[in-house]
């Protein structure tokens, strides 16, 4: 679960940097390279995030509704941070159940 939480945060940050920094640099300053670099970084982060989501679903850590929530949230800037808090809550509840 910690890997999924970290992947969610990484994906959220790269999406915000892509939309908030790289795209304005491209369209306002004519720096096309910014989106090429940040887009590649975000693409890799997104693929890692999806791998963790699918793995967590396959292991039964999250259900199909949680999987859909995480994937849809990956397309909304900032939603990854909300999903990370949700995952932290799930993790804490799981630790309480184990006691």
């Amino acid at each position: 679960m910690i890997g999924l939480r970290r992947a969610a945060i990484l994906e959220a940050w790269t999406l915000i940097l892509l939309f908030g920094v790289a795209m304005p640099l491209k369209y306002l300053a004519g720096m096309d390279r910014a989106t090429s670099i940040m887009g590649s970084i975000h693409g890799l982060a997104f693929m890692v995030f999806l791998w963790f989501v699918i793995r967590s679903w396959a292991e039964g850590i999250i259900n199909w509704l949680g999987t859909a929530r995480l994937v849809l949230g990956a397309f909304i800037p900032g939603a990854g941070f909300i999903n990370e808090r949700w995952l932290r809550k799930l993790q804490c509840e799981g630790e309480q159940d184990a006691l």
Side-chain angles (χ1 to χ4, degrees):
M1 178 80 78
I2 292 173
L4 178 57
R5 288 178 45 210
R6 288 181 180 166
I9 291 172
L10 177 65
E11 191 280 330
W13 272 115
T14 59
L15 185 62
I16 287 173
L17 290 173
L18 179 63
F19 284 167
V21 177
M23 289 179 70
L25 283 175
K26 177 180 180 175
Y27 293 109
L28 299 176
M31 298 174 73
D32 294 342
R33 195 165 199 66
T35 53
S36 297
I37 294 169
M38 198 62 229
S40 298
I41 294 169
H42 172 67
L44 178 63
F46 183 73
M47 295 303 289
V48 168
F49 172 71
L50 283 181
W51 182 79
F52 274 104
V53 169
I54 292 167
R55 182 177 158 202
S56 297
W57 173 73
E59 292 177 1
I61 296 170
I62 56 174
N63 60 15
W64 69 270
L65 193 57
T67 301
R69 172 190 175 140
L70 291 170
V71 172
L72 289 174
F75 291 95
I76 303 169
F81 299 112
I82 295 167
N83 281 334
E84 189 278 332
R85 276 187 285 178
W86 172 70
L87 289 168
R88 187 176 345 133
K89 181 181 172 191
L90 282 179
Q91 184 179 9
C92 288
E93 288 172 0
E95 289 172 358
Q96 291 297 324
D97 292 342
L99 295 176

